[in-house]
Amino acid sequence: MLPKFKYHPNPIETGAFLTGELHKCECCGNHTNIWYNSPFYSKKAISCICPECISDGSAAKKFNGEFQDYELVGDVSDSAKLDELIHRTPGYSGWQQEYWYSHCDDFCAFVGYVGWNDIVEMGIDKEIEETYDSHICSFFLDDVKKYMRNNGSMQGYLFKCLHCGKHFIYVDCD
């Protein structure tokens, strides 16, 4: 069974983990058919980390690594939340450097990869227009609406506040 990740609740659906044949976790040495497939910032190149070694923090500790760059996250006042995000939460893959949103003094949950059409279909386009921050994303909202496509050259990354439920997008390009 997959551990629960507060800030990345559906890591198999988002592709943070792959499933299939057995691999040996480089942290604990156990064989697993679920392994990490997103960024891990460490001096050593690691090819297989199991979900449990991410969840309990042992992979980050053993390899002196991080799953999210602590310089590219929103502000929270509780350092334990930052520790959970960068050391015990699977990241997501972006074109450039990933950014993790915060809101209500906590980090948001990563929902998944989106294009503008997906946002419209979800019925959250007006909300995204209100929460969009061009200082973080570096693109004009009109361009995002016109060019952002899931799996396209302009990619959206959807986040949801764990407390108030507001949605936010981070956008980057290849």
Side-chain angles (χ1 to χ4, degrees):
M1 175 174 247
L2 194 66
K4 182 178 179 182
F5 296 102
K6 177 180 176 180
Y7 301 123
H8 197 152
N10 298 305
I12 291 178
E13 290 86 352
T14 65
F17 289 107
L18 295 179
T19 62
E21 68 273 3
L22 284 177
H23 290 267
K24 185 175 181 181
C25 176
E26 293 180 51
C27 184
C28 66
N30 292 330
H31 285 87
T32 180
N33 65 345
I34 303 173
W35 64 96
Y36 188 60
N37 185 48
S38 287
F40 181 61
Y41 304 100
S42 172
K43 288 183 180 180
K44 183 177 179 183
I46 308 299
S47 61
C48 180
I49 302 173
C50 72
E52 291 78 14
C53 288
I54 294 173
S55 178
D56 68 13
S58 58
K61 184 175 181 178
K62 180 174 183 173
F63 302 115
N64 193 27
E66 299 174 343
F67 296 95
Q68 175 65 39
D69 184 342
Y70 70 91
E71 294 283 337
L72 294 168
V73 300
D75 294 327
V76 297
S77 61
D78 185 349
S79 62
K81 292 175 181 177
L82 178 62
D83 182 63
E84 181 175 353
L85 178 69
I86 65 173
H87 295 125
R88 296 187 310 279
T89 300
Y92 69 94
S93 295
W95 284 115
Q96 309 299 321
Q97 187 67 38
E98 298 82 11
Y99 178 84
W100 208 287
Y101 267 92
S102 66
H103 195 257
C104 294
D105 199 31
D106 200 355
F107 293 107
C108 295
F110 177 65
V111 176
Y113 304 93
V114 294
W116 190 257
N117 291 342
D118 300 314
I119 288 170
V120 171
E121 286 177 19
M122 296 166 104
I124 59 172
D125 49 317
K126 299 298 181 208
E127 180 181 350
I128 293 297
E129 290 172 2
E130 293 172 8
T131 63
Y132 185 75
D133 189 338
S134 62
H135 293 97
I136 293 173
C137 297
S138 303
F139 301 101
F140 293 113
L141 183 57
D142 287 342
D143 290 336
V144 169
K145 290 178 179 181
K146 187 174 181 179
Y147 299 113
M148 188 176 77
R149 303 285 179 265
N150 194 12
N151 296 314
S153 290
M154 180 182 275
Q155 179 67 61
Y157 311 94
L158 184 63
F159 292 86
K160 183 176 182 179
C161 179
L162 296 172
H163 303 281
C164 72
K166 283 188 180 179
H167 290 90
F168 302 86
I169 58 166
Y170 177 64
V171 179
D172 72 353
C173 290
D174 62 0

PDB file of all heavy atoms in Angstrom, residues 51-69:
ATOM      1  N   PRO A  51       8.457   4.266  -2.273  1.00  0.00           N
ATOM      2  CA  PRO A  51       7.598   5.258  -1.613  1.00  0.00           C
ATOM      3  C   PRO A  51       7.833   5.357  -0.106  1.00  0.00           C
ATOM      4  O   PRO A  51       7.801   6.447   0.459  1.00  0.00           O
ATOM      5  CB  PRO A  51       6.180   4.770  -1.905  1.00  0.00           C
ATOM      6  CG  PRO A  51       6.300   3.900  -3.097  1.00  0.00           C
ATOM      7  CD  PRO A  51       7.669   3.301  -3.041  1.00  0.00           C
ATOM      8  N   GLU A  52       8.094   4.220   0.546  1.00  0.00           N
ATOM      9  CA  GLU A  52       8.287   4.231   1.993  1.00  0.00           C
ATOM     10  C   GLU A  52       9.525   5.020   2.390  1.00  0.00           C
ATOM     11  O   GLU A  52       9.527   5.719   3.407  1.00  0.00           O
ATOM     12  CB  GLU A  52       8.368   2.793   2.535  1.00  0.00           C
ATOM     13  CG  GLU A  52       7.063   2.031   2.475  1.00  0.00           C
ATOM     14  CD  GLU A  52       6.714   1.509   1.083  1.00  0.00           C
ATOM     15  OE1 GLU A  52       7.586   1.484   0.177  1.00  0.00           O
ATOM     16  OE2 GLU A  52       5.539   1.138   0.882  1.00  0.00           O
ATOM     17  N   CYS A  53      10.586   4.929   1.607  1.00  0.00           N
ATOM     18  CA  CYS A  53      11.823   5.653   1.927  1.00  0.00           C
ATOM     19  C   CYS A  53      11.690   7.151   1.691  1.00  0.00           C
ATOM     20  O   CYS A  53      12.427   7.946   2.282  1.00  0.00           O
ATOM     21  CB  CYS A  53      13.009   5.081   1.144  1.00  0.00           C
ATOM     22  SG  CYS A  53      13.524   3.456   1.769  1.00  0.00           S
ATOM     23  N   ILE A  54      10.738   7.538   0.854  1.00  0.00           N
ATOM     24  CA  ILE A  54      10.432   8.965   0.725  1.00  0.00           C
ATOM     25  C   ILE A  54       9.586   9.391   1.917  1.00  0.00           C
ATOM     26  O   ILE A  54       9.895  10.373   2.593  1.00  0.00           O
ATOM     27  CB  ILE A  54       9.694   9.257  -0.604  1.00  0.00           C
ATOM     28  CG1 ILE A  54      10.620   8.979  -1.783  1.00  0.00           C
ATOM     29  CG2 ILE A  54       9.198  10.708  -0.623  1.00  0.00           C
ATOM     30  CD1 ILE A  54       9.952   9.083  -3.136  1.00  0.00           C
ATOM     31  N   SER A  55       8.534   8.650   2.191  1.00  0.00           N
ATOM     32  CA  SER A  55       7.583   8.994   3.235  1.00  0.00           C
ATOM     33  C   SER A  55       8.224   9.126   4.617  1.00  0.00           C
ATOM     34  O   SER A  55       7.907  10.046   5.378  1.00  0.00           O
ATOM     35  CB  SER A  55       6.474   7.947   3.288  1.00  0.00           C
ATOM     36  OG  SER A  55       5.564   8.215   4.313  1.00  0.00           O
ATOM     37  N   ASP A  56       9.147   8.233   4.956  1.00  0.00           N
ATOM     38  CA  ASP A  56       9.747   8.290   6.292  1.00  0.00           C
ATOM     39  C   ASP A  56      10.993   9.178   6.353  1.00  0.00           C
ATOM     40  O   ASP A  56      11.601   9.334   7.401  1.00  0.00           O
ATOM     41  CB  ASP A  56      10.047   6.891   6.825  1.00  0.00           C
ATOM     42  CG  ASP A  56      11.146   6.138   6.081  1.00  0.00           C
ATOM     43  OD1 ASP A  56      11.884   6.745   5.274  1.00  0.00           O
ATOM     44  OD2 ASP A  56      11.269   4.912   6.312  1.00  0.00           O
ATOM     45  N   GLY A  57      11.388   9.759   5.212  1.00  0.00           N
ATOM     46  CA  GLY A  57      12.523  10.674   5.184  1.00  0.00           C
ATOM     47  C   GLY A  57      13.880  10.016   5.064  1.00  0.00           C
ATOM     48  O   GLY A  57      14.902  10.696   4.992  1.00  0.00           O
ATOM     49  N   SER A  58      13.911   8.696   5.023  1.00  0.00           N
ATOM     50  CA  SER A  58      15.204   8.010   5.015  1.00  0.00           C
ATOM     51  C   SER A  58      15.982   8.237   3.722  1.00  0.00           C
ATOM     52  O   SER A  58      17.219   8.324   3.748  1.00  0.00           O
ATOM     53  CB  SER A  58      15.042   6.510   5.308  1.00  0.00           C
ATOM     54  OG  SER A  58      14.193   5.898   4.375  1.00  0.00           O
ATOM     55  N   ALA A  59      15.313   8.375   2.580  1.00  0.00           N
ATOM     56  CA  ALA A  59      16.026   8.612   1.315  1.00  0.00           C
ATOM     57  C   ALA A  59      16.696   9.976   1.328  1.00  0.00           C
ATOM     58  O   ALA A  59      17.875  10.104   0.962  1.00  0.00           O
ATOM     59  CB  ALA A  59      15.072   8.496   0.129  1.00  0.00           C
ATOM     60  N   ALA A  60      15.978  11.003   1.750  1.00  0.00           N
ATOM     61  CA  ALA A  60      16.557  12.349   1.811  1.00  0.00           C
ATOM     62  C   ALA A  60      17.740  12.373   2.776  1.00  0.00           C
ATOM     63  O   ALA A  60      18.776  12.989   2.489  1.00  0.00           O
ATOM     64  CB  ALA A  60      15.498  13.359   2.234  1.00  0.00           C
ATOM     65  N   LYS A  61      17.599  11.680   3.887  1.00  0.00           N
ATOM     66  CA  LYS A  61      18.680  11.660   4.888  1.00  0.00           C
ATOM     67  C   LYS A  61      19.889  10.876   4.369  1.00  0.00           C
ATOM     68  O   LYS A  61      21.018  11.355   4.437  1.00  0.00           O
ATOM     69  CB  LYS A  61      18.166  11.053   6.190  1.00  0.00           C
ATOM     70  CG  LYS A  61      19.187  11.085   7.301  1.00  0.00           C
ATOM     71  CD  LYS A  61      18.591  10.579   8.598  1.00  0.00           C
ATOM     72  CE  LYS A  61      19.640  10.659   9.700  1.00  0.00           C
ATOM     73  NZ  LYS A  61      19.098  10.227  10.995  1.00  0.00           N
ATOM     74  N   LYS A  62      19.660   9.682   3.852  1.00  0.00           N
ATOM     75  CA  LYS A  62      20.762   8.820   3.418  1.00  0.00           C
ATOM     76  C   LYS A  62      21.570   9.455   2.281  1.00  0.00           C
ATOM     77  O   LYS A  62      22.797   9.380   2.266  1.00  0.00           O
ATOM     78  CB  LYS A  62      20.227   7.454   2.968  1.00  0.00           C
ATOM     79  CG  LYS A  62      21.325   6.504   2.502  1.00  0.00           C
ATOM     80  CD  LYS A  62      20.783   5.126   2.202  1.00  0.00           C
ATOM     81  CE  LYS A  62      21.911   4.175   1.822  1.00  0.00           C
ATOM     82  NZ  LYS A  62      21.425   2.793   1.693  1.00  0.00           N
ATOM     83  N   PHE A  63      20.873  10.092   1.341  1.00  0.00           N
ATOM     84  CA  PHE A  63      21.548  10.637   0.165  1.00  0.00           C
ATOM     85  C   PHE A  63      21.738  12.154   0.236  1.00  0.00           C
ATOM     86  O   PHE A  63      22.147  12.773  -0.741  1.00  0.00           O
ATOM     87  CB  PHE A  63      20.783  10.256  -1.101  1.00  0.00           C
ATOM     88  CG  PHE A  63      20.635   8.770  -1.267  1.00  0.00           C
ATOM     89  CD1 PHE A  63      19.398   8.166  -1.218  1.00  0.00           C
ATOM     90  CD2 PHE A  63      21.758   7.961  -1.458  1.00  0.00           C
ATOM     91  CE1 PHE A  63      19.263   6.794  -1.359  1.00  0.00           C
ATOM     92  CE2 PHE A  63      21.631   6.589  -1.602  1.00  0.00           C
ATOM     93  CZ  PHE A  63      20.378   6.006  -1.557  1.00  0.00           C
ATOM     94  N   ASN A  64      21.427  12.733   1.421  1.00  0.00           N
ATOM     95  CA  ASN A  64      21.546  14.175   1.618  1.00  0.00           C
ATOM     96  C   ASN A  64      20.870  14.911   0.453  1.00  0.00           C
ATOM     97  O   ASN A  64      21.467  15.763  -0.196  1.00  0.00           O
ATOM     98  CB  ASN A  64      23.010  14.598   1.758  1.00  0.00           C
ATOM     99  CG  ASN A  64      23.143  16.017   2.262  1.00  0.00           C
ATOM    100  OD1 ASN A  64      22.262  16.522   2.957  1.00  0.00           O
ATOM    101  ND2 ASN A  64      24.233  16.661   1.896  1.00  0.00           N
ATOM    102  N   GLY A  65      19.614  14.541   0.192  1.00  0.00           N
ATOM    103  CA  GLY A  65      18.907  15.073  -0.968  1.00  0.00           C
ATOM    104  C   GLY A  65      17.590  15.724  -0.614  1.00  0.00           C
ATOM    105  O   GLY A  65      17.139  15.709   0.535  1.00  0.00           O
ATOM    106  N   GLU A  66      16.989  16.307  -1.635  1.00  0.00           N
ATOM    107  CA  GLU A  66      15.696  16.979  -1.498  1.00  0.00           C
ATOM    108  C   GLU A  66      14.821  16.641  -2.701  1.00  0.00           C
ATOM    109  O   GLU A  66      15.312  16.485  -3.812  1.00  0.00           O
ATOM    110  CB  GLU A  66      15.893  18.496  -1.447  1.00  0.00           C
ATOM    111  CG  GLU A  66      16.722  18.949  -0.278  1.00  0.00           C
ATOM    112  CD  GLU A  66      17.040  20.435  -0.315  1.00  0.00           C
ATOM    113  OE1 GLU A  66      16.908  21.063  -1.391  1.00  0.00           O
ATOM    114  OE2 GLU A  66      17.424  20.963   0.731  1.00  0.00           O
ATOM    115  N   PHE A  67      13.516  16.586  -2.459  1.00  0.00           N
ATOM    116  CA  PHE A  67      12.551  16.318  -3.519  1.00  0.00           C
ATOM    117  C   PHE A  67      11.992  17.611  -4.108  1.00  0.00           C
ATOM    118  O   PHE A  67      11.329  17.587  -5.132  1.00  0.00           O
ATOM    119  CB  PHE A  67      11.422  15.428  -3.001  1.00  0.00           C
ATOM    120  CG  PHE A  67      11.929  14.069  -2.607  1.00  0.00           C
ATOM    121  CD1 PHE A  67      12.277  13.789  -1.298  1.00  0.00           C
ATOM    122  CD2 PHE A  67      12.103  13.086  -3.563  1.00  0.00           C
ATOM    123  CE1 PHE A  67      12.776  12.541  -0.948  1.00  0.00           C
ATOM    124  CE2 PHE A  67      12.602  11.841  -3.223  1.00  0.00           C
ATOM    125  CZ  PHE A  67      12.948  11.572  -1.910  1.00  0.00           C
ATOM    126  N   GLN A  68      12.282  18.729  -3.458  1.00  0.00           N
ATOM    127  CA  GLN A  68      11.863  20.045  -3.931  1.00  0.00           C
ATOM    128  C   GLN A  68      12.918  21.040  -3.481  1.00  0.00           C
ATOM    129  O   GLN A  68      13.403  20.960  -2.352  1.00  0.00           O
ATOM    130  CB  GLN A  68      10.493  20.425  -3.347  1.00  0.00           C
ATOM    131  CG  GLN A  68      10.012  21.815  -3.686  1.00  0.00           C
ATOM    132  CD  GLN A  68       9.753  22.014  -5.156  1.00  0.00           C
ATOM    133  OE1 GLN A  68       9.246  21.138  -5.846  1.00  0.00           O
ATOM    134  NE2 GLN A  68      10.093  23.176  -5.666  1.00  0.00           N
ATOM    135  N   ASP A  69      13.283  21.957  -4.348  1.00  0.00           N
ATOM    136  CA  ASP A  69      14.245  23.005  -4.007  1.00  0.00           C
ATOM    137  C   ASP A  69      13.613  23.952  -2.995  1.00  0.00           C
ATOM    138  O   ASP A  69      12.606  24.598  -3.290  1.00  0.00           O
ATOM    139  CB  ASP A  69      14.646  23.754  -5.283  1.00  0.00           C
ATOM    140  CG  ASP A  69      15.704  24.796  -5.051  1.00  0.00           C
ATOM    141  OD1 ASP A  69      15.930  25.216  -3.900  1.00  0.00           O
ATOM    142  OD2 ASP A  69      16.316  25.227  -6.051  1.00  0.00           O
TER     143      ASP A  69
END
